[in-house]
Amino acid sequence: MGKQYRSTSEKIFDVFNYVFLALFGLMAVLPFIFVISGSFATDAEITKRAVFLIPKTFSLDAYKFIFSTDTIMRSIGVSIYVTVIGTIVNLFFTVTMAYPMARRNLMGRNMILNLVIFTMLFGGGMIPTYLVIRELHLLDTLNSLILPGAISAFNLIIVKNFFQELPPGLEEAAKIDGCNELSLLWKIVLPLSKPVLATFTLFYAVGHWNNFFSALLYINDPSKWPLQVMLRQIVMLSQSAGDMSSMDPTFVQPPEQSIKMAVIVVGTIPILCVYPFLQKHFAKGVLLGSIKG
Amino acid sequence: MSKQALKDNRETRWKRLKRDKWLYILLLPGLLYFLIFKYVPMWGILLAFKNYQPFIGFWKSEWVGVEHFKVFFQNPDFFMLLRNTLILSLYNLIFFFPAPIILALLLNEIRRAIFKRTIQTLIYVPHFISMVIVASLTYVFLTTEGGMVNEFLYAFTGRKIDFLASPDWFRPLIILQTIWKECGWGTIIFLAALAGVDVEQYEAAIVDGASRWRQLWHITLPSIRSTIVILLILRMGTILDNGFEQIYLMMNALNREVAEVFDTYVYALGITQGAFSYSTAVGLFKSVIGVILVLGSNWLAKKSGESGLY
């Protein structure tokens, strides 16, 4: 609105607004900055002064401890495995189902769509789902963290809508050139859908990395715990030093508080790494989701 | 329909099936997924009306009708769960719901694009952080054993507050966590609505001598009113959902009386204690009320002239 006359109260408001929003933005990331700096400090320093941004005594002990502890390393491995394989499974299931559903002339299309939408409204609930997982002998397997969430109905419908928007002439042209359905999907539709697929790859991956609920329900065996469950054990149930030493004979008593902070950092880093890529896409993704079709 | 037409119809159907066979093959994995992991559990809801015993199995366990529901409604736990759930939802409505709207309005007043974009980038971050990390951060900062907040309190007042184990602090903590995690993210939809407002309206208002407050009141707010209304109505549909993970992670023996909600109760009784039938009944009660609320609020959204969800 350019340079125009502004009253004093408006100027005051502007100043207040900039300051408030800057503080709010800072609040969103400040906890991580404290935790990151805390993870590089020694416990003595953390107990001496609770607040600091740059540790006086820079120490890598907490990280050395984490990367030398089998239990934590194993859970990081579990999380990476579930994130990679789980995301591949998600994409495969979502794309293969969304593609036929995007065909307006497919027989039974509406029935399938209703079948999917109904699951968004009503579900069997925690216990019946748990019992199905148990009957399938998936308890205490990493598949229980992957298969029960193979498709998000919401994402499926968004991808279906995206496929539907592609120009129908493409399909005819490709068929004339001798493409069958599979090569049409692989050679034409998927390359054209890169932006939307990138979005869902990231969303699914973040979901797997952050998943806690499924593991809480389906995994009892501590050697198969993903990082999020391990994190809870260490930070909230304060299980680090004593319990871990009994599992790991090479254990050296580490600084307690900085370990907690370092584990939080390790649990967050992948998110902060993909965030710049996510950010390009998500505003569009969210708005795509709010427009139904 | 004549016999000939019926026959034709059948033939074209068969032809269409044959023509699209690859499409149907592609559909298979997804369909199987929905059947096994979504529809079989729905059928498992029948457990709520049985006395399920794992050794006998689903089929041979006896039917008990609505016995589990009767027991549940007579249990004092029922009122505790209902009260905790409703109070948390109410707090969320009062303290969390307006937050993204206000934040979006404030962001909308910012003229400098770089500043606005920077702030947006920062406030979206917490949305992608797992609930475990959020709870962990809360623990690390609030613990009485060297937590930053308590060290501060101690330095100034000479006292510490055990936030994590106090029933009085449970609800404020939950709301603060929600605001921290989701408030920024919630602005996206309002900012989109605000971006759609016609600039000419503001220009006309300025010519008429309207101050920024007047512009906010007469142009900006009315233009996002429908977005606010529909989000508010849809929120009503999720009144019984308080988010299992967050509450489970923040609950402990000392604050259980204000923390326990339907989902955590189902988990505690079903998964950890093996009372499958009873907890299925509790879960079913919650889902049925939930569906009614969702359909009802959707109906209301349509009534108020919005497109609704379904």
Side-chain angles (χ1 to χ4, degrees):
Chain A
M1 259 160 262
K3 284 176 194 167
Q4 42 194 276
Y5 174 75
R6 291 189 300 167
S7 71
T8 322
S9 68
E10 283 178 12
K11 280 180 194 156
I12 293 172
F13 167 79
D14 275 335
V15 172
F16 159 81
N17 195 14
Y18 274 89
V19 171
F20 176 82
L21 287 175
L23 284 177
F24 203 93
L26 211 59
M27 280 298 296
V29 287
L30 211 53
F32 296 110
I33 297 171
F34 282 134
V35 166
I36 290 170
S37 62
S39 69
F40 287 113
T42 55
D43 243 26
E45 191 179 358
I46 293 176
T47 42
K48 226 181 337 184
R49 7 175 240 153
V51 191
F52 51 85
L53 277 179
I54 300 150
K56 264 186 202 155
T57 48
F58 185 83
S59 131
L60 286 170
D61 287 354
Y63 291 98
K64 275 185 198 148
F65 171 74
I66 287 179
F67 293 118
S68 67
T69 313
D70 280 355
T71 45
I72 300 176
M73 284 310 285
R74 209 182 294 133
S75 72
I76 293 174
V78 168
S79 279
I80 291 172
Y81 173 86
V82 170
T83 302
V84 172
I85 305 294
T87 307
I88 292 170
V89 169
N90 286 144
L91 286 176
F92 175 79
F93 274 70
T94 307
V95 165
T96 53
M97 192 169 186
Y99 178 66
M101 283 174 73
R103 291 298 181 76
R104 290 178 202 275
N105 59 3
L106 187 80
M107 217 166 49
R109 173 177 180 270
N110 274 330
M111 197 189 71
I112 295 165
L113 192 59
N114 286 331
L115 209 74
V116 171
I117 289 176
F118 185 67
T119 64
M120 295 166 82
L121 267 180
F122 187 75
M126 196 189 293
I127 305 297
T129 309
Y130 173 85
L131 291 174
V132 168
I133 307 288
R134 200 181 66 169
E135 288 306 307
L136 292 171
H137 299 287
L138 290 177
L139 286 189
D140 270 337
T141 68
L142 295 187
N143 286 335
S144 71
L145 304 180
I146 293 170
L147 293 177
I151 302 180
S152 138
F154 189 77
N155 294 354
L156 174 72
I157 289 173
I158 297 177
V159 175
K160 183 214 83 171
N161 288 349
F162 184 88
F163 287 163
Q164 224 161 271
E165 298 299 308
L166 294 173
L170 275 177
E171 182 195 329
E172 286 153 33
K175 284 221 171 123
I176 290 166
D177 289 347
C179 264
N180 65 13
E181 289 294 351
L182 293 181
S183 51
L184 178 68
L185 173 62
W186 188 251
K187 287 189 187 145
I188 315 267
V189 174
L190 288 187
L192 284 173
S193 313
K194 266 184 197 152
V196 84
L197 293 178
T199 312
F200 286 106
T201 306
L202 290 168
F203 275 109
Y204 275 130
V206 168
H208 281 295
W209 183 262
N210 283 345
N211 186 8
F212 167 74
F213 183 62
S214 312
L216 178 74
L217 281 177
Y218 307 133
I219 309 277
N220 278 317
D221 177 357
S223 71
K224 288 172 185 151
W225 276 343
L227 186 59
Q228 302 292 338
V229 178
M230 194 55 84
L231 210 97
R232 169 168 174 263
Q233 297 290 323
I234 293 172
V235 179
M236 277 168 259
L237 307 182
S238 282
Q239 236 189 17
S240 73
D243 297 2
M244 296 258 172
S245 57
S246 58
M247 290 186 231
D248 184 1
T250 59
F251 180 88
V252 190
Q253 181 74 23
E256 184 93 10
Q257 199 70 356
S258 55
I259 295 255
K260 290 184 181 181
M261 294 188 180
V263 186
I264 293 176
V265 172
V266 171
T268 319
I269 288 259
I271 302 291
L272 297 183
C273 291
V274 299
Y275 184 72
F277 303 101
L278 264 177
Q279 210 215 344
K280 236 179 15 191
H281 297 298
F282 60 56
K284 213 158 99 205
V286 169
L287 295 174
L288 266 175
S290 63
I291 304 160
K292 46 171 205 158
Chain B
M1 217 186 277
S2 72
K3 269 189 181 168
Q4 187 54 43
L6 249 177
K7 204 182 161 201
D8 280 353
N9 199 2
R10 223 176 284 146
E11 263 173 31
T12 50
R13 274 188 176 205
W14 179 240
K15 264 188 197 157
R16 287 173 73 185
L17 266 175
K18 236 173 111 176
R19 184 196 64 194
D20 292 336
K21 65 173 184 292
W22 282 110
L23 294 178
Y24 288 105
I25 290 171
L26 282 177
L27 265 178
L28 264 179
L31 278 179
L32 275 176
Y33 163 77
F34 276 100
L35 289 179
I36 295 173
F37 291 106
K38 299 288 168 184
Y39 280 91
V40 174
M42 283 187 207
W43 180 65
I45 282 171
L46 290 175
L47 283 178
F49 305 98
K50 283 192 159 207
N51 215 350
Y52 177 68
Q53 282 165 314
F55 307 106
I56 308 178
F58 179 85
W59 297 105
K60 288 183 184 163
S61 297
E62 58 164 341
W63 291 96
V64 294
V66 293
E67 192 59 36
H68 296 299
F69 293 91
K70 271 191 199 159
V71 173
F72 179 52
F73 294 139
Q74 280 161 12
N75 190 328
D77 282 350
F78 173 71
F79 286 101
M80 176 190 72
L81 299 176
L82 196 64
R83 194 189 60 218
N84 291 345
T85 300
L86 292 181
I87 292 178
L88 273 173
S89 291
L90 188 73
Y91 277 25
N92 251 317
L93 204 63
I94 298 171
F95 299 108
F96 171 67
F97 186 78
I101 303 174
I102 297 167
L103 199 59
L105 288 174
L106 290 178
L107 270 170
N108 197 47
E109 293 296 320
I110 297 286
R111 299 277 168 266
R112 268 175 238 266
I114 296 173
F115 183 81
K116 190 173 168 185
R117 224 176 301 135
T118 310
I119 296 298
Q120 278 181 281
T121 303
L122 292 179
I123 63 179
Y124 295 156
V125 170
H127 171 77
F128 294 99
I129 302 303
S130 79
M131 209 66 227
V132 180
I133 302 266
V134 175
S136 295
L137 290 171
T138 314
Y139 270 64
V140 169
F141 288 122
L142 296 187
T143 174
T144 49
E145 292 152 31
M148 190 186 289
V149 174
N150 265 318
E151 291 303 319
F152 251 121
L153 274 177
Y154 190 73
F156 287 108
T157 67
R159 256 185 298 169
K160 290 183 176 183
I161 299 174
D162 199 353
F163 296 100
L164 299 168
S166 143
D168 295 336
W169 279 99
F170 180 79
R171 285 166 186 150
L173 279 184
I174 292 284
I175 303 300
L176 281 174
Q177 281 181 340
T178 310
I179 291 178
W180 183 77
K181 192 172 189 299
E182 302 299 341
C183 180
W185 185 250
T187 60
I188 289 183
I189 194 154
F190 294 108
L191 285 172
L194 287 170
V197 183
D198 191 358
V199 188
E200 282 180 23
Q201 288 191 43
Y202 288 110
E203 283 163 4
I206 291 165
V207 171
D208 288 346
S211 70
R212 266 164 80 183
W213 301 107
R214 285 263 157 196
Q215 293 170 36
L216 174 76
W217 190 252
H218 292 294
I219 303 171
T220 312
L221 272 181
S223 58
I224 59 167
R225 190 180 52 206
S226 66
T227 309
I228 296 175
V229 168
I230 187 151
L231 286 181
L232 188 66
I233 292 173
L234 292 177
R235 180 137 217 126
M236 296 299 157
T238 58
I239 271 180
L240 293 190
D241 279 309
N242 309 104
F244 172 87
E245 282 190 16
Q246 186 184 13
I247 296 194
Y248 179 79
L249 288 165
M250 297 302 294
M251 183 165 70
N252 51 50
L254 294 160
N255 60 23
R256 180 179 173 268
E257 56 180 298
V258 294
E260 192 93 79
V261 293
F262 289 102
D263 286 335
T264 54
Y265 188 74
V266 170
Y267 174 78
L269 267 81
I271 307 289
T272 59
Q273 291 176 36
F276 290 126
S277 283
Y278 179 70
S279 52
T280 303
V282 176
L284 178 59
F285 165 77
K286 202 208 105 170
S287 331
V288 170
I289 304 279
V291 171
I292 294 171
L293 286 170
V294 168
L295 291 178
S297 58
N298 191 54
W299 176 82
L300 221 92
K302 278 185 176 162
K303 264 263 152 172
S304 66
E306 303 295 342
S307 57
L309 273 189
Y310 317 109

